[in-house]
Amino acid sequence: MLHSRGLFPYNNTNNTVLTNDAGLLLGMPPNLVGSNLPNLQQCLPAGLTDTALWHLQPAYCITPTPPAHCIPQPIQLENGNGQAYPPPIGSSLSRAVIHPPTSLFGGITTPAATSAIIAPPGVLVQQPSKPMTIMDPIPLPQDVYNGSDFDNNGFSSNFEFIPMPKKTDLTTGTSSGHLSPKKKNVFPEVGERKIKTPAPLEPVLFEECLPQPNPITIAKKPVDKPKRLITRPAKILDKRGCTGTVLTLHANFFPVHVAQMQIYKYSVIVSPSVPNEKGAFQGVVLGCSQALGHFVLYYDYIYCAKKFMGNARKLFSQYEDNTYLVTLIEENGVGNFERVVVINKLLRKLLKALSWFQAGKVYFSKDDSYQIRSLIERSGGWSVKPGFLPVVLNCETEILFNVDLVHMVIRPDTAFELYQIMQSRSKNSNAVFKEAIVGEHVVTMYNGRVYKVKDVAFKFNPMTEFNSNDGPTTFVHFYHQKYGVSIVNKKQPLLMAHILSEGKEKCVVYLVPELCYLTGFTSENRRDFFLMRNIYDEISSTPKVCQLKVSQFVKTFSETKNEKVQEILREWKLYFGSEMVSFKGRHLPAELAKVRSGRNPSSARNLFDWSEDFRTYRMLHCIPIKKWAVLVPAQHVKASDRFIICLQSTCAALGITLAKPFIIQIESDEVSCYLRQLKKLFSKERPQIVVFILACNRKDKYSAIKKYCTVEHGVASQVLTVKSMDQKYDFPVAKRLAVQLNCKVGGTPWSVEVPLTLGMVIGVDMSVDTRNRNSTFCSVVASFDSDFSRFHSATFEFATGDFEQMSVQLCEHVTMALQNFKLQHHNLPKVIILYRDGVANRKLQHIFHRELPLMQKWLNEVYKGGEWRLSYVVVNKHNNTKIYANGNTNPPTGTVVDTCITNPDRYDFLLLSGQTQRKAASFTHYNVLFDNTSLTPDRLQRLTYKMTHLYFNMKGTVRVPAPLRYASRLVAVVSNILHKPPHPNLSDVLHFL
């Protein structure tokens, strides 16, 4: 029996026995010798737990027999800040792991490595019945042991060392992972000790005083962070095109100077494991803020501007009355992807320090709002709150700071007024009010902050008591005391909003509807032409104004005197440039419309000159309309007769044969009268199209008519109002109506030259059903003629959020479109270009890894092993990119950008194809997720631009390719009006224009 430095290994009936002098914890203060366990626990600092400081292993028993010459030495524990702690003692600790000085915790210093047993002298401690798991074990140090019972490496013959088992059950001696062969005399650089299994012991004598330890896991927090998605095909080495006139452009992107920026990355291990609740892990790590400085936490990684060495990597954190050990393990390499994440999180810290508050992704200043002068006298006046949407992006050649100017329109009415309206209109007012207000943004009138409503608390009201810093109070008293605001209605329900807070993911805030202004527009507001024109004039910033405001926002970071902002920028060596980036773009050549002049088709005119007299040109392909009916109220028959004559004259000039209609007079302008007459009409004959003339524009009437014709009977329909037949606007309205009538019966107004043989272009978009939010509709529109001007359409329904089901049904409907193409050409298309809208960035992973492989499988089945070519393009028209030419003007329509501000991981480009007037132009972003066609980047860009000319409901180009625009229009009609897919008889005509 040998002992060294207070450690006494002893064998007794084949049981491993560990002891120290007097059976006490080595380093125990002398005045506590012989004390019982409850008294020992009183010497601990508040909140300090044994499991937060030590890696634990079970002990088996204790002998009270000490060597006479052994004198225990006190242990002094210190953290990184020099604070001293007494040895950790707790009821759940049975034995502390032996370790050399500073080898286990970087922030703790021990004069000598020791083994500690918490138990009074003469008491046996039974081996714990439950396993305890540890990570990164610390082996027994060599310099602790001397004597014949230990080998040359300092290990007793009672121990065996197993290299590299990640998790070992120390009670049973088994491991959860694969174990290497057992080896003795292995130097313990990495690995764990396994104690030979002793014979069972008797139960613990003082079990009530010393409960058995629970399983403790010291491991990393589960990581589920987004992965970097690289979709750029390997064959696309250069994604730049070459056609067009070169332009010098500027964009709302600013350089981020990171050359001197040093970022150190550490993985985080918290011991013991944090509670399984939201924000707990963040709260523990935030407890180390004083030592870490202005760090960034991203999942279970910490990014710092300074490097931590040795003892500084072991930190203590206090969270909810518990003490945790936070261990930092340095990781190698920080690429641009992580660098962008770090800078974005630092950007949030800077904006918070500048007192900017966040609503969604937009940041607003509390005091930066103004009223619209022309609307001050209308309903108390409308106001506008300008905001900024800042984000740091990894662009083609460098990291850039993108800032976009946005506006929030604040209405003069409050949420309580909306609640009163709902109460007067509906019996189930609470449910209707909740449906109307949840998801909306409100602005509080007392401090100007913006909140997004998440729920309505009908069980609370302004008289509800809550605990404030000054004690219990009510909402009425709180707002009067703090803001000087009086609440009139004491029974209104409260709104629930969520805000972010340090250490916790979300905090619930209760708002009083009477003190919250509503934002946005109602359907009634949108019908008010005077109102919308004045608001549009205010929020439509010219390119010059937009550049000025955005530049001022970026200069705020360098010019501010805020000490915290300057401290963060200095610590991270971060600097934002104040000048917009400059780069080269191209202006694509204009396309000519292919129409019919006289009898022969010809490229007759430029689409941008559409406002000229169109009577001398005829449509490319016209369908004679021989059977059609007009349903009109009896009091408006004379006005309709005059308009029909004008319409027939216009159609003749455009090359459309329009026969005399069958006029049906409606006695009353009620929905039932229209449906009754329709039933009689459809029972006799089936017209090609039915035109309805309504006295006023009512959604319920319009919806009923469209459902009856489009869903139930598959007959194309067109709805007009009496106001639109005003004699002043006869010809413009008649001209547009003639184009729509021709499209709805299968005609083609015009086309453009597309040099793609046997090609098919598909547009896909989806929208949530406005009547049932659990249901979503998806529309697929595909071309099937050589001019890319005739389209096959279909719509399907799927459960909201079920993208697996959506992907399967999408493949089915693409297959149907391919079969329809084959019926027309007796061949499948050689090239398929699919434009997909309605895809958030977070769904790109699903599309790339799930939907695309599924579509490839379906195409293999359709082509039966033959060769197929597909280009899958995700379209995003709601981006924050603003591009300017000549300093402060909009670029010309047809400008394409494929360098500098694009993504290096993507095969992408930006295209300006929509018509712009006063406000800053918005580019559409195209991201090619998959491409095995032979189209070069230049040809794909030109094809995309050509397809924007083929939307027949507008005179000119649109922001997206025509098939995608048709899909968006169709799915909007279905989700807002029909709530069911249209009749299959209408699948080959544009019935939804």
Side-chain angles (χ1 to χ4, degrees), residues 1-51:
M1 181 172 62
L2 298 175
H3 35 78
S4 175
R5 300 188 186 180
L7 178 68
F8 185 44
Y10 174 70
N11 292 335
N12 181 16
T13 62
N14 297 324
N15 294 336
T16 301
V17 180
L18 303 178
T19 185
N20 61 358
D21 297 311
L24 300 177
L25 172 66
L26 191 62
M28 183 183 299
N31 62 329
L32 295 179
V33 175
S35 302
N36 57 24
L37 185 63
N39 292 331
L40 295 180
Q41 292 177 328
Q42 295 176 2
C43 71
L44 285 173
L48 187 64
T49 62
D50 49 10
T51 58

Coordinates of all heavy atoms in Angstrom, one line a residue, residues 1-51:
M1 N 0.9 -1.2 0.0 CA 0.0 0.0 0.0 C 0.9 1.2 0.0 O 1.7 1.4 0.9 CB -0.9 0.0 1.2 CG -1.8 1.2 1.3 SD -3.0 1.0 2.7 CE -1.9 0.9 4.1
L2 N 0.8 2.0 -1.1 CA 1.6 3.2 -1.2 C 0.8 4.4 -1.3 O -0.4 4.4 -1.7 CB 2.5 3.1 -2.5 CG 3.5 1.9 -2.5 CD1 4.2 1.9 -3.8 CD2 4.5 2.0 -1.4
H3 N 1.3 5.5 -1.0 CA 0.6 6.8 -1.0 C 1.5 7.9 -1.4 O 2.7 7.9 -1.1 CB -0.1 7.1 0.3 CG 0.7 6.7 1.5 ND1 1.8 7.4 1.9 CD2 0.6 5.6 2.3 CE1 2.3 6.8 3.0 NE2 1.6 5.7 3.2
S4 N 1.0 8.9 -2.1 CA 1.8 10.0 -2.6 C 1.0 11.2 -2.7 O -0.1 11.2 -3.3 CB 2.4 9.7 -4.0 OG 3.1 10.8 -4.5
R5 N 1.5 12.3 -2.0 CA 0.8 13.6 -2.1 C -0.7 13.5 -1.6 O -1.5 14.1 -2.2 CB 0.9 14.2 -3.4 CG 2.3 14.5 -3.9 CD 2.4 15.3 -5.1 NE 3.7 15.4 -5.6 CZ 4.1 16.1 -6.7 NH1 3.2 16.7 -7.4 NH2 5.3 16.1 -7.1
G6 N -0.9 12.7 -0.7 CA -2.3 12.6 -0.1 C -3.1 11.6 -0.8 O -4.2 11.3 -0.4
L7 N -2.6 10.9 -1.9 CA -3.4 9.9 -2.7 C -3.0 8.6 -2.1 O -1.9 8.2 -2.0 CB -3.2 10.0 -4.2 CG -3.9 9.0 -5.0 CD1 -5.4 9.3 -5.0 CD2 -3.4 9.0 -6.4
F8 N -4.0 7.8 -1.8 CA -3.7 6.5 -1.1 C -4.5 5.4 -1.9 O -5.6 5.1 -1.6 CB -4.1 6.6 0.3 CG -3.8 5.4 1.1 CD1 -2.5 4.8 1.0 CD2 -4.7 4.8 2.0 CE1 -2.2 3.6 1.7 CE2 -4.4 3.7 2.7 CZ -3.1 3.1 2.6
P9 N -3.9 4.7 -2.9 CA -4.5 3.6 -3.5 C -4.4 2.4 -2.6 O -3.4 2.1 -2.0 CB -3.7 3.4 -4.8 CG -2.4 4.0 -4.5 CD -2.6 5.0 -3.5
Y10 N -5.5 1.6 -2.5 CA -5.6 0.5 -1.5 C -6.5 -0.5 -2.1 O -7.5 -0.2 -2.6 CB -6.1 1.0 -0.2 CG -6.3 -0.1 0.9 CD1 -5.2 -0.7 1.4 CD2 -7.5 -0.4 1.3 CE1 -5.4 -1.7 2.4 CE2 -7.7 -1.4 2.2 CZ -6.7 -2.0 2.8 OH -6.9 -3.0 3.7
N11 N -6.1 -1.8 -2.0 CA -6.9 -2.9 -2.4 C -7.5 -3.6 -1.2 O -6.8 -4.0 -0.3 CB -6.1 -3.9 -3.3 CG -5.6 -3.3 -4.6 OD1 -6.3 -2.4 -5.1 ND2 -4.5 -3.8 -5.1
N12 N -8.8 -3.8 -1.3 CA -9.5 -4.5 -0.2 C -10.6 -5.3 -0.8 O -11.6 -4.8 -1.4 CB -10.1 -3.4 0.7 CG -10.8 -4.1 1.9 OD1 -10.6 -5.3 2.1 ND2 -11.6 -3.3 2.6
T13 N -10.5 -6.6 -0.7 CA -11.5 -7.5 -1.3 C -11.8 -7.2 -2.8 O -12.9 -7.1 -3.2 CB -12.8 -7.5 -0.5 OG1 -13.4 -6.2 -0.6 CG2 -12.6 -7.8 0.9
N14 N -10.7 -7.0 -3.5 CA -10.8 -6.8 -5.0 C -11.5 -5.5 -5.3 O -11.9 -5.3 -6.4 CB -11.5 -7.9 -5.7 CG -10.6 -9.2 -5.6 OD1 -9.4 -9.1 -5.6 ND2 -11.3 -10.3 -5.5
N15 N -11.7 -4.6 -4.3 CA -12.4 -3.3 -4.6 C -11.3 -2.2 -4.7 O -10.4 -2.2 -3.8 CB -13.4 -2.9 -3.5 CG -14.5 -3.9 -3.5 OD1 -14.8 -4.5 -4.5 ND2 -15.2 -4.0 -2.4
T16 N -11.4 -1.4 -5.6 CA -10.5 -0.2 -5.7 C -10.9 0.8 -4.7 O -12.0 1.3 -4.7 CB -10.5 0.4 -7.1 OG1 -10.2 -0.6 -8.1 CG2 -9.5 1.5 -7.2
V17 N -10.0 1.1 -3.8 CA -10.3 2.0 -2.7 C -9.4 3.3 -2.9 O -8.2 3.1 -3.0 CB -10.1 1.4 -1.4 CG1 -10.4 2.3 -0.2 CG2 -10.9 0.1 -1.3
L18 N -9.9 4.4 -2.8 CA -9.2 5.7 -2.9 C -9.4 6.4 -1.6 O -10.5 6.5 -1.1 CB -9.6 6.5 -4.1 CG -9.5 5.8 -5.4 CD1 -10.0 6.8 -6.5 CD2 -8.0 5.4 -5.7
T19 N -8.4 7.1 -1.1 CA -8.6 7.8 0.1 C -7.6 9.0 0.1 O -6.7 9.1 -0.7 CB -8.3 6.9 1.4 OG1 -8.6 7.7 2.5 CG2 -6.9 6.5 1.4
N20 N -7.8 9.9 1.0 CA -6.8 10.9 1.4 C -6.7 11.0 2.9 O -7.4 10.2 3.6 CB -7.1 12.2 0.7 CG -8.5 12.7 1.2 OD1 -9.1 12.1 2.0 ND2 -8.8 13.9 0.7
D21 N -5.9 11.9 3.4 CA -5.8 12.0 4.8 C -7.1 12.3 5.5 O -7.8 13.2 5.2 CB -4.8 13.1 5.2 CG -3.4 12.7 4.6 OD1 -2.9 11.6 4.8 OD2 -2.8 13.6 3.9
A22 N -7.4 11.4 6.5 CA -8.6 11.6 7.3 C -9.8 11.4 6.5 O -10.9 11.7 7.0 CB -8.6 12.9 8.0
G23 N -9.7 10.9 5.3 CA -10.9 10.7 4.4 C -11.5 12.0 4.0 O -12.6 12.0 3.6
L24 N -10.8 13.1 4.1 CA -11.3 14.4 3.8 C -10.9 14.9 2.4 O -9.9 14.4 1.8 CB -10.8 15.4 4.8 CG -11.2 15.2 6.3 CD1 -10.6 16.2 7.1 CD2 -12.7 15.1 6.4
L25 N -11.6 15.8 1.9 CA -11.3 16.5 0.6 C -10.0 17.2 0.8 O -9.9 18.1 1.7 CB -12.4 17.5 0.2 CG -12.1 18.4 -1.0 CD1 -11.9 17.5 -2.3 CD2 -13.2 19.4 -1.2
L26 N -9.0 16.9 0.0 CA -7.7 17.5 0.2 C -7.8 19.0 -0.1 O -8.3 19.4 -1.2 CB -6.7 16.9 -0.8 CG -5.2 17.3 -0.6 CD1 -4.7 16.9 0.8 CD2 -4.3 16.7 -1.7
G27 N -7.4 19.8 0.7 CA -7.5 21.3 0.6 C -8.7 21.8 1.4 O -9.0 23.0 1.3
M28 N -9.4 21.0 2.1 CA -10.5 21.4 2.9 C -10.0 22.3 4.1 O -9.0 22.0 4.7 CB -11.2 20.2 3.5 CG -12.5 20.6 4.3 SD -13.3 19.1 4.9 CE -13.6 18.3 3.5
P29 N -10.6 23.4 4.3 CA -10.2 24.3 5.4 C -10.2 23.5 6.7 O -11.0 22.7 7.0 CB -11.2 25.4 5.4 CG -11.7 25.4 4.0 CD -11.7 24.0 3.6
P30 N -9.2 23.7 7.6 CA -9.1 23.0 8.8 C -10.3 23.0 9.7 O -10.6 22.1 10.4 CB -7.8 23.6 9.5 CG -7.1 24.2 8.4 CD -8.1 24.7 7.4
N31 N -11.0 24.2 9.7 CA -12.1 24.3 10.6 C -13.3 23.5 10.1 O -14.3 23.3 10.9 CB -12.6 25.8 10.7 CG -13.0 26.3 9.3 OD1 -12.5 25.9 8.3 ND2 -13.9 27.3 9.3
L32 N -13.2 22.9 8.9 CA -14.3 22.0 8.4 C -14.0 20.6 8.6 O -14.8 19.7 8.2 CB -14.6 22.4 7.0 CG -15.1 23.8 6.7 CD1 -15.3 23.9 5.2 CD2 -16.4 24.0 7.4
V33 N -12.8 20.2 9.1 CA -12.5 18.8 9.3 C -13.5 18.2 10.3 O -13.7 18.7 11.3 CB -11.0 18.6 9.8 CG1 -10.7 17.2 10.0 CG2 -10.1 19.2 8.7
G34 N -14.0 17.0 9.8 CA -14.9 16.3 10.7 C -16.4 16.8 10.6 O -17.2 16.2 11.2
S35 N -16.6 17.9 9.8 CA -18.0 18.4 9.6 C -18.7 17.4 8.8 O -18.2 16.7 7.9 CB -17.9 19.8 9.0 OG -17.2 20.7 9.8
N36 N -20.0 17.5 8.9 CA -20.9 16.7 8.0 C -21.1 17.4 6.7 O -20.7 18.5 6.5 CB -22.2 16.3 8.7 CG -23.0 17.6 9.1 OD1 -22.8 18.6 8.6 ND2 -23.8 17.4 10.1
L37 N -21.7 16.7 5.8 CA -21.8 17.2 4.4 C -22.6 18.5 4.3 O -22.2 19.4 3.6 CB -22.3 16.1 3.5 CG -22.4 16.5 2.0 CD1 -21.0 16.7 1.5 CD2 -23.1 15.4 1.2
P38 N -23.8 18.6 4.9 CA -24.6 19.8 4.8 C -23.8 21.0 5.2 O -23.9 22.1 4.6 CB -25.8 19.6 5.7 CG -25.9 18.1 5.7 CD -24.5 17.5 5.7
N39 N -22.9 20.9 6.3 CA -22.2 22.0 6.7 C -21.1 22.4 5.7 O -20.7 23.5 5.5 CB -21.5 21.8 8.1 CG -22.6 21.7 9.2 OD1 -23.6 22.4 9.0 ND2 -22.3 20.9 10.2
L40 N -20.5 21.3 5.1 CA -19.5 21.6 4.1 C -20.0 22.4 2.9 O -19.3 23.2 2.3 CB -18.9 20.2 3.5 CG -18.2 19.4 4.6 CD1 -17.7 18.1 3.9 CD2 -17.0 20.1 5.2
Q41 N -21.2 22.2 2.5 CA -21.8 22.9 1.4 C -22.0 24.4 1.6 O -22.1 25.1 0.7 CB -23.1 22.3 1.0 CG -23.0 20.8 0.4 CD -24.3 20.2 0.1 OE1 -25.3 20.6 0.8 NE2 -24.4 19.4 -0.9
Q42 N -22.0 24.7 2.9 CA -22.2 26.1 3.2 C -21.0 27.0 2.8 O -21.1 28.2 2.8 CB -22.5 26.3 4.7 CG -23.8 25.6 5.1 CD -24.1 25.7 6.6 OE1 -23.2 26.3 7.3 NE2 -25.1 25.1 7.1
C43 N -19.8 26.4 2.6 CA -18.6 27.2 2.3 C -18.6 27.5 0.8 O -17.6 28.2 0.4 CB -17.4 26.4 2.7 SG -17.0 25.0 1.7
L44 N -19.5 27.0 0.0 CA -19.5 27.3 -1.4 C -19.9 28.7 -1.7 O -20.8 29.2 -1.0 CB -20.4 26.4 -2.2 CG -19.9 24.9 -2.4 CD1 -21.0 24.1 -3.0 CD2 -18.7 24.9 -3.3
P45 N -19.4 29.4 -2.7 CA -19.9 30.7 -3.2 C -21.3 30.5 -3.7 O -21.7 29.4 -4.2 CB -18.9 31.1 -4.3 CG -17.7 30.3 -4.1 CD -18.2 29.0 -3.5
A46 N -22.1 31.6 -3.7 CA -23.5 31.5 -4.2 C -23.5 31.1 -5.7 O -22.8 31.7 -6.5 CB -24.2 32.8 -4.0
G47 N -24.3 30.1 -6.0 CA -24.4 29.7 -7.4 C -23.3 28.8 -7.9 O -23.4 28.4 -9.0
L48 N -22.3 28.6 -7.1 CA -21.2 27.7 -7.6 C -21.5 26.3 -7.4 O -21.8 25.9 -6.3 CB -19.9 28.1 -6.9 CG -18.6 27.5 -7.5 CD1 -18.4 28.0 -8.9 CD2 -17.4 27.8 -6.6
T49 N -21.5 25.5 -8.5 CA -21.8 24.1 -8.4 C -20.6 23.3 -8.8 O -19.7 23.7 -9.6 CB -22.9 23.7 -9.3 OG1 -22.5 24.0 -10.7 CG2 -24.2 24.5 -9.0
D50 N -20.5 22.1 -8.2 CA -19.4 21.2 -8.5 C -19.3 20.8 -9.9 O -18.2 20.8 -10.5 CB -19.4 20.0 -7.6 CG -20.8 19.3 -7.6 OD1 -21.6 19.7 -8.5 OD2 -21.0 18.4 -6.8
T51 N -20.4 20.5 -10.5 CA -20.4 20.0 -11.9 C -20.0 21.1 -12.9 O -19.7 20.8 -14.0 CB -21.8 19.5 -12.3 OG1 -22.8 20.6 -12.1 CG2 -22.2 18.3 -11.4

